[in-house]
Amino acid sequence: MEITFLGTSSGVPTRGRNVSSIGLKLPQRPEVWLFDCGEGTQHQLLRSELKSSQIRRVFVTHMHGDHIFGLMGLLASCGLAGNNHRVDIYGPEDLSGYIKACLRYSQMRFAFPVQVHGVTPGVVYEDGEFQVTCAPLKHRVPAFGYRVGERQRAGEFDVGKAQKLGIPPGPVYGRLKRGETVTLPDGRVVEGKDFAGIPQAGRHFVYCTDTIYCDQAVALAQGADVLVHEATFAHQDAALAFERLHSTSTMAAQVALAAGVKQLILTHFSPRYAPGNALQLSDLLAEAQAIFPHTALASDFFTYAIPRCQTTPAMAVGAG
Ligand SMILES: [Zn+2]
Ligand SMILES: [Zn+2]
């Protein structure tokens, strides 16, 4: 599970940063899910390691242009490139009308099936491996934060334990792996669950933008492995954050701290903190790290592989 930032500037692009979009590469399947699609996202995709032909889902946070103006161009290009996979798009209720209007006035037709889903708080998508939920944020227009949760994976089959108990390798291992109860040739009855290693915890990615500090973001991000949160402004410019319903670096850090996440990555920066100005992004990072040390700044094309957290009982060894 890997995220790639395709745009990290708020409102307008700059020379070094495009407007919002993140690609999520899923493990063990050739699929990319996109979170927001600001203008120019398809160009950013061309410069990244991600393939736009692998985009299967697009999750839109809200209807501001810096989050949606790249959507129609990207979908048009996907069609011309011969992509015929179905694409599901999730977002606020108005998204469907917006897409329909664009299609109508530009006389465009999708060359592949596209399904638009208006989201409401709660589960917006799930399959055997992932669940995506959303929660309302606090912005000038309806906005949603998204959480992608990977389901817990069963632990590896403990071959050593089976051998120690004198269970001969063969189809019986497969049955125990599946958790079945097996009667051995010598009459012993063994349970598959007794041979399962430590289950692997699923990874959780949370994306909160655009928003001012809100409790819903804290609830959505609870215990996540990585929280990507907007930090449009520095703490010194908090008045602007309150006026425009955006976050400061310190608000983002407070969300991370209250939610107990493992890693915070800040994004959606105002161009006012560009190099050469009085306040710079390094100041926003320092402000956030003073509250939540595990904070990083996003930059365009920055890729973060979400680590799988290991729950090893061996950690308890050595007490006393
Ligand atoms: Zn924005
Ligand atoms: Zn916005």
Side-chain angles (χ1 to χ4, degrees):
M1 228 171 151
E2 198 177 88
I3 52 171
T4 299
F5 288 84
L6 297 165
T8 55
S9 180
S10 81
V12 294
T14 66
R15 281 187 160 196
R17 295 174 186 273
N18 197 44
V19 282
S20 290
S21 185
I22 290 180
L24 168 70
K25 218 164 124 182
L26 300 180
Q28 284 148 2
R29 49 168 135 164
E31 248 179 67
V32 171
W33 293 358
L34 216 56
F35 292 80
D36 283 331
C37 191
E39 183 193 349
T41 295
Q42 62 169 318
H43 301 260
Q44 297 292 86
L45 279 162
L46 288 171
R47 294 189 201 112
S48 79
E49 296 293 314
L50 301 174
K51 293 194 180 90
S52 44
S53 60
Q54 293 185 339
I55 295 171
R56 294 289 177 279
R57 298 178 201 284
V58 183
F59 298 88
V60 172
T61 58
H62 66 298
M63 296 300 292
H64 278 156
D66 59 324
H67 297 256
I68 61 165
F69 282 170
L71 193 55
M72 295 310 289
L74 174 69
L75 293 171
S77 299
C78 282
L80 291 174
N83 182 10
N84 53 9
H85 291 285
R86 170 183 159 140
V87 175
D88 286 86
I89 305 172
Y90 306 80
E93 218 49 67
D94 284 348
L95 188 60
S96 171
Y98 169 77
I99 291 173
K100 276 187 196 141
C102 289
L103 289 172
R104 184 174 152 211
Y105 290 110
S106 63
Q107 300 195 9
M108 172 188 159
R109 264 200 305 167
F110 291 127
F112 49 93
V114 173
Q115 187 72 48
V116 185
H117 311 259
V119 300
T120 50
V123 177
V124 297
Y125 171 76
E126 61 185 329
D127 60 31
E129 289 171 284
F130 299 96
Q131 185 183 60
V132 183
T133 53
C134 79
L137 301 174
K138 206 170 165 191
H139 194 43
R140 304 192 302 278
V141 297
F144 296 92
Y146 290 96
R147 179 184 181 113
V148 181
E150 186 185 30
R151 296 188 197 276
Q152 178 175 294
R153 276 204 217 153
E156 301 268 304
F157 178 66
D158 191 342
V159 180
K161 186 175 178 183
Q163 285 172 341
K164 233 184 241 172
L165 289 173
I167 304 171
V172 66
Y173 277 23
R175 293 183 59 196
L176 290 172
K177 261 187 213 176
R178 291 193 293 273
E180 294 178 22
T181 303
V182 177
T183 306
L184 299 171
D186 62 12
R188 282 182 293 163
V189 176
V190 288
E191 303 266 353
K193 66 174 168 50
D194 296 333
F195 295 88
I198 305 152
Q200 286 190 313
R203 290 163 287 188
H204 293 257
F205 156 60
V206 176
Y207 179 51
C208 290
T209 196
D210 291 356
T211 187
I212 192 166
Y213 178 97
C214 69
D215 293 337
Q216 290 96 318
V218 175
L220 187 72
Q222 210 54 235
D225 295 274
V226 59
L227 165 64
V228 174
H229 197 289
E230 73 131 291
T232 309
F233 297 110
H235 183 65
Q236 193 177 302
D237 295 323
L240 288 174
F242 282 105
E243 185 189 309
R244 300 179 193 174
L245 297 185
H246 279 300
S247 291
T248 59
S249 53
T250 47
M251 289 178 193
Q254 277 156 358
V255 172
L257 184 69
V261 305
K262 295 190 183 71
Q263 176 72 47
L264 168 65
I265 304 177
L266 304 178
T267 188
H268 199 271
F269 306 116
S270 165
R272 71 181 55 224
Y273 307 116
N277 294 351
L279 272 173
Q280 300 195 3
L281 289 180
S282 52
D283 298 307
L284 274 74
L285 179 63
E287 289 171 352
Q289 283 180 336
I291 295 167
F292 190 79
H294 291 286
T295 303
L297 291 178
S299 55
D300 286 23
F301 307 112
F302 169 56
T303 292
Y304 179 79
I306 306 170
R308 198 178 277 284
C309 114
Q310 298 293 343
T311 41
T312 45
M315 294 297 281
V317 174

